[in-house]
Amino acid sequence: MNADPELRVTGGKFDASFSVTFDDTRYVIQVRAGQIERILAAPRFDVRTSFGVRAPMSVWSRFLDPDPPPLFHDFFAMLMRVPEFVLDGDTLVAMQNARALHRMMNLMREVGPVAAEAAHA
């Protein structure tokens, strides 16, 4: 993600820590100036984040599919129409960085479900 030219432009002011949760497995991603500084796998409960996205692995698998079904093709579509996909925390910070967050989610799809599920295991 740090090498992505679009993310460099859209994420230049993105300074936040946020979580991504697959079932019960939580990761914290620390971002400074749109660049991922650190990813914490299975962080302690007291690691603070500005916001987080969480969903069951079944939802993430549909999102990560190369040809996702309707509503699972886009981060914002899932937020609006998939009840199991939840945005927690300071939604203002999330929306202030919405374009960069959207790009990060699309780049996650390029990695694919196999890599994401392996990391989740």
Side-chain angles (χ1 to χ4, degrees):
M1 289 191 189
N2 288 351
D4 183 65
E6 183 179 337
L7 190 54
R8 276 194 210 124
V9 172
T10 61
K13 295 184 181 188
F14 189 0
D15 290 320
S17 292
F18 67 97
S19 65
V20 179
T21 305
F22 302 83
D23 288 329
D24 293 328
T25 303
R26 181 174 172 247
Y27 296 87
V28 170
I29 302 168
Q30 297 173 336
V31 179
R32 299 292 168 254
Q35 300 286 295
I36 294 174
E37 283 190 338
R38 189 170 170 198
I39 298 174
L40 303 170
R44 292 172 27 144
F45 72 93
D46 60 346
V47 173
R48 296 182 67 178
T49 59
S50 297
F51 63 91
V53 291
R54 63 181 163 84
M57 194 61 205
S58 59
V59 170
W60 286 112
S61 293
R62 285 182 268 179
F63 172 74
L64 295 170
D65 190 289
D67 186 23
L71 303 181
F72 295 89
H73 69 288
D74 183 80
F75 173 72
F76 290 111
M78 291 194 323
L79 277 176
M80 304 283 258
R81 300 287 184 208
V82 178
E84 302 88 3
F85 189 79
V86 178
L87 175 63
D88 292 316
D90 191 339
T91 56
L92 176 60
V93 173
M95 291 304 104
Q96 286 171 331
N97 296 290
R99 185 65 190 111
L101 186 59
H102 187 264
R103 181 63 183 154
M104 285 181 171
M105 298 296 283
N106 286 340
L107 290 169
M108 185 189 331
R109 177 178 286 127
E110 290 179 19
V111 171
V114 175
E117 289 172 4
H120 174 66

